[in-house]
Amino acid sequence: MALHFERTEFDARRDRLMIEMAEKKLDAVVLFAQESMYWLTGYDTFGFCFFQSLVVMADGSMTLLTRSADLRQARHTSIIENIVLWTDRDNANPTLDLRNLLNDLGLLGARIGVEYDTHGLTAFNGRRLDEQLQTFGQIVDASGIIGRLRLFKSPAEIEKAEKAASLADDALDAALPLIKQGGDEAKILAAMQGAIFTGGGDYPANEFIIGSGADALLCRYKAGRRKLNKNDQLTLEWAGVFNHYHAPMMRTALTGKVSRRHQELYDASLAALVAVEKAMTPGNTFGDVFDAHARTLETHGLTKHRLNACGYSVGARFTPSWMDMPMFYQGNPEPIAPNMTLFAHMIIMDSETETAMTLGRTYLTTESAPKPLSRHDLDLIVR
């Protein structure tokens, strides 16, 4: 089997889930998030674009309901032993197959948790699922259970994150020689992704962000490439990825002369990231981290140019996004604790002057100060 962890690691994760289920008095949970299935069993697929679910019983036994295309995928990449297939056909309703499976498992009338908050369960299928289960048992939303367990990384997971961070550094190393007047965004992007693949890494859960000129102010990927001018700005957000574990980084690099506005925004970004690092310690919350960012940018007169979040948890994620919960935003009460892998990004976009500046990297939280996982410094990149 193509497992990326020892069986004892999966057993420990299952045991943690069983404790949570017992505390919430759940007889079973029905999982739809691909990252939940991967974390719990190793099951690795993009087949969650179709209907599939993993039923976990209170005793830890598991049954996967999926399509025939993923039968061998599940057998080869996971520890799942019980696999049931639903059949592709005209007017197929796999939620009926799921109800029948739950009935076969003796769960009629049981208290069942459903993982609703995921891209793996569309609104269309969620409505059909509710129709099938509304009289079947006591159905409760169990969306956050595994997500919170995944927040705290094991030593084996931390090794994956550290490898991913090394690959992110490799990607930046590959990009730097190409960031210059006449530099082609297409070649920069190819070099970065190529460095990660060459290092044994994986596709990211979402596209890398690359944009120069006015497009440097965008916070999402878009189609289209351009070449850099003599005095230009290039915003990059990418992630090293290893066994689906992500370690994002973010930089705005400059070509030619540094403008006064770029220097002002960089100085503010660096001050804000340093303040965030000081707040990213046990005893503080995710909301406190955001407040440190917001206060710093306010002192620099940049409140209207910042975003309303400044980072998030990262780990093993699948399409369409490497962003995990919880996020750094105002009032988030989630405590900072050791063994979290967190991405902090300072993003300042001044649309009035079309000036962009970003600065971000991934950290491992500890009992005290967080540990940056990147080997690169935070100096302004000027080529």
Side-chain angles (χ1 to χ4, degrees), residues 160-171:
K160 305 288 188 187
E162 290 174 338
K163 174 62 175 177
S166 177
L167 293 173
D169 284 332
D170 292 346

Side-chain angles (χ1 to χ4, degrees), residues 34 43-52 64-77 83-89:
Q34 182 57 44
Y43 180 38
D44 189 352
T45 182
F46 63 73
F48 64 93
C49 59
F50 297 96
F51 186 93
Q52 67 172 10
L64 176 69
L65 175 66
T66 190
R67 300 167 65 245
S68 59
D70 278 297
L71 174 61
R72 292 165 188 81
Q73 195 89 5
R75 286 176 174 167
H76 186 64
T77 67
I83 303 172
V84 176
L85 301 180
W86 66 270
T87 302
D88 295 286
R89 59 192 182 277

Side-chain angles (χ1 to χ4, degrees), residues 122-281:
T122 65
F124 175 72
N125 282 327
R127 291 181 65 179
R128 295 204 294 181
L129 179 65
D130 287 342
E131 290 174 0
Q132 291 296 329
L133 299 185
Q134 61 183 343
T135 61
F136 184 85
Q138 183 183 356
I139 308 303
V140 298
D141 189 346
S143 298
I145 292 181
I146 289 189
R148 192 155 201 290
L149 294 176
R150 291 175 50 250
L151 176 59
F152 304 95
K153 307 301 189 290
S154 70
E157 289 181 291
I158 290 171
E159 289 183 8
K160 305 288 188 187
E162 290 174 338
K163 174 62 175 177
S166 177
L167 293 173
D169 284 332
D170 292 346
L172 181 55
D173 288 338
L176 288 174
L178 304 176
I179 300 174
K180 58 186 178 181
Q181 180 181 0
D184 190 333
E185 286 183 3
K187 293 181 179 179
I188 294 169
L189 189 60
M192 296 180 77
Q193 188 66 81
I196 292 171
F197 286 152
T198 299
D202 302 303
Y203 285 108
N206 58 256
E207 300 88 343
F208 290 178
I209 294 168
I210 182 168
S212 59
D215 293 341
L217 280 73
L218 301 181
C219 295
R220 298 286 183 264
Y221 171 86
K222 71 163 193 63
R225 305 284 181 266
R226 68 183 288 271
K227 294 183 178 180
L228 302 178
N229 295 325
K230 180 178 180 181
N231 294 299
D232 215 331
Q233 56 184 354
L234 173 71
T235 293
L236 299 168
E237 185 179 21
W238 72 101
V241 191
F242 186 70
N243 295 161
H244 294 293
Y245 283 81
H246 290 70
M249 294 179 67
M250 195 168 193
R251 292 288 192 279
T252 297
L254 307 178
T255 61
K257 184 179 179 180
V258 180
S259 70
R260 177 181 298 178
R261 188 56 170 163
H262 274 123
Q263 188 65 54
E264 291 173 349
L265 298 190
Y266 167 74
D267 291 342
S269 296
L270 180 60
L273 188 56
V274 169
V276 159
E277 290 180 2
K278 291 180 179 178
M280 200 185 297
T281 56

